[in-house]
Amino acid sequence: MTEERFLTIAEVKDLLEEENEKRGELNHEQGFALQHAREIARLPGDRARTIVEELKKIDNVSEEIAVVLVDIKAEDAEDVKAVFYKERFDVEADTVEKILSVMEEYL
């Protein structure tokens, strides 16, 4: 059974590029996904994963939230609060600062 986890857009791009090299070409949907990922990805996949792992060390930051924060390249408190909004709790100012500190360190 394969392990499921959340991936950043940058990681998806890397995986699709690797498959494209192996196969020589991707199917139609995969090709569109790769094109989209190339346009949207803001970081290399390995760097994106490093940031996700660092963010997960912060209280109340799940892998899903960390991936979204990296994908949108959260730059300020409003970005962070918007991601946490759907969790139906207010993120503490201390947590926001820790998140922004990690983002700043790696970006």
Side-chain angles (χ1 to χ4, degrees):
M1 180 174 229
T2 59
E3 177 187 342
E4 291 186 22
R5 66 181 181 143
F6 292 96
L7 298 173
T8 64
I9 296 291
E11 291 172 300
V12 170
K13 178 184 73 82
D14 288 352
L15 289 172
L16 287 170
E17 286 177 340
E18 184 179 306
E19 278 302 306
N20 191 32
E21 287 178 22
K22 281 184 197 175
R23 296 181 190 180
E25 104 180 47
L26 300 172
N27 70 33
H28 191 67
E29 291 83 8
Q30 292 166 333
F32 278 129
L34 177 55
Q35 179 183 354
H36 177 72
R38 284 178 175 158
E39 292 171 5
I40 301 300
R42 299 175 177 186
L43 300 166
D46 57 343
R47 186 178 188 117
R49 178 51 47 183
T50 299
I51 300 169
V52 167
E53 294 303 321
E54 287 298 314
L55 289 171
K56 285 173 33 183
K57 294 176 184 176
I58 300 170
D59 288 341
N60 297 320
V61 179
S62 65
E63 183 169 27
E64 180 181 10
I65 288 173
V67 165
V68 173
L69 290 166
V70 171
D71 279 346
I72 68 166
K73 201 173 169 185
E75 296 178 337
D76 58 37
E78 292 305 313
D79 290 343
V80 174
K81 289 176 184 177
V83 172
F84 276 90
Y85 181 74
K86 75 174 185 80
E87 299 298 317
R88 299 195 186 260
F89 68 88
D90 289 330
V91 62
E92 296 177 15
D94 182 50
T95 301
V96 172
E97 289 304 315
K98 288 177 184 176
I99 290 168
L100 292 174
S101 175
V102 169
M103 296 298 289
E104 238 178 71
E105 179 181 342
Y106 287 94
L107 298 179

